Amino acid sequence: MQALLLALALSALQLCPAVLGGPQHQRFLLGNGGPIRLSRVHNFAWQNCAPSAPAQMKSLNLIPDPICIPGDVTLSASGTTTITLDAPVKAVITLEKKIGDMWLKVPCVDDLGSCTYDDLCAILDTLVPPGQPCPQPLQSYGIPCHCPFKAGTYNLPPSDIFIPNMDLPSFLTNGDYRLKSVLSNGDQEIGCLKLSFSLHSGSQWLWW
């Protein structure tokens, strides 16, 4: 995985529920039908979608399958970048839902869905204020959580992370989902990653 995405994802996981479900973020969880409690994740899959980009995910594993929420997950990952990743790093996220045989784009609502983030480095600074130590397990393995990310290889050995209760916004109704993230700096595409996984909420199934 791109080093920046790895740090961003791990920082967010470690700061739950403040990031994903804390009181200051309730606006992310509101929808016409109210929030949906997530209970299970399974069938996680990923792939690079820009083989010539300077940042590449080499491995990304989540155990067990399915993941029960709340519960523990063992995460391992490795990625490499041939260039230094520095601000501003732009992320264009495309989230699609499968309706019949078609994939329909989920709009961006309150920073969730198919959204554009102009500077992931600034988001990392919000999650972990500069001067504070990086959250575990990043700190133990020398993985930075702030820009710049120097060129090189970043490895996260199998690490246990606790996933707390979290809610999904009601507009992410049950179905099959896929997500594409494209990172860029100016006119240069840094990396591209596709994700898919199944989410279970109550008696309903959801793909992301």
Side-chain angles (χ1 to χ4, degrees):
M1 184 180 191
Q2 296 94 332
L4 186 62
L5 277 180
L6 175 59
L8 181 63
L10 290 176
S11 297
L13 287 172
Q14 285 303 300
L15 292 170
C16 290
V19 170
L20 295 174
Q24 69 272 41
H25 292 270
Q26 288 301 312
R27 66 188 184 91
F28 291 167
L29 308 179
L30 299 179
N32 293 333
I36 301 171
R37 178 56 53 87
L38 177 63
S39 63
R40 192 181 307 164
V41 180
H42 73 120
N43 289 345
F44 176 82
W46 66 274
Q47 68 179 84
N48 292 302
C49 40
S52 61
Q56 297 288 326
M57 173 74 81
K58 297 301 183 182
S59 66
L60 178 60
N61 298 294
L62 293 172
I63 300 173
D65 184 5
I67 299 168
C68 294
I69 298 177
D72 293 315
V73 58
T74 299
L75 170 66
S76 61
S78 66
T80 184
T81 175
T82 59
I83 63 172
T84 296
L85 308 182
D86 204 354
V89 175
K90 181 179 181 179
V92 178
I93 307 296
T94 302
L95 179 65
E96 295 177 308
K97 178 184 178 181
K98 191 174 184 181
I99 305 294
D101 294 329
M102 300 183 299
W103 288 94
L104 299 182
K105 186 176 180 179
V106 177
C108 182
V109 178
D110 286 335
D111 289 330
L112 202 61
S114 299
C115 302
T116 296
Y117 305 94
D118 291 326
D119 192 354
L120 290 184
C121 295
I123 294 176
L124 285 175
D125 288 344
T126 300
L127 294 175
V128 184
Q132 291 190 9
C134 293
Q136 295 294 352
L138 298 179
Q139 186 179 11
S140 292
Y141 298 108
I143 301 174
C145 57
H146 295 286
C147 297
F149 291 82
K150 297 180 180 180
T153 299
Y154 294 83
N155 294 304
L156 177 71
S159 302
D160 293 331
I161 297 174
F162 177 73
I163 307 297
N165 279 320
M166 63 181 71
D167 293 333
L168 298 172
S170 61
F171 67 84
L172 288 180
T173 53
N174 299 333
D176 294 343
Y177 286 76
R178 62 187 184 188
L179 184 148
K180 179 180 179 181
S181 174
V182 179
L183 299 185
S184 61
N185 186 306
D187 295 331
Q188 181 181 18
E189 183 173 316
I190 297 173
C192 179
L193 191 68
K194 290 182 179 179
L195 303 175
S196 65
F197 50 89
S198 303
L199 304 182
H200 178 72
S201 54
S203 61
Q204 300 170 327
W205 291 97
L206 186 71
W207 279 78
W208 185 299

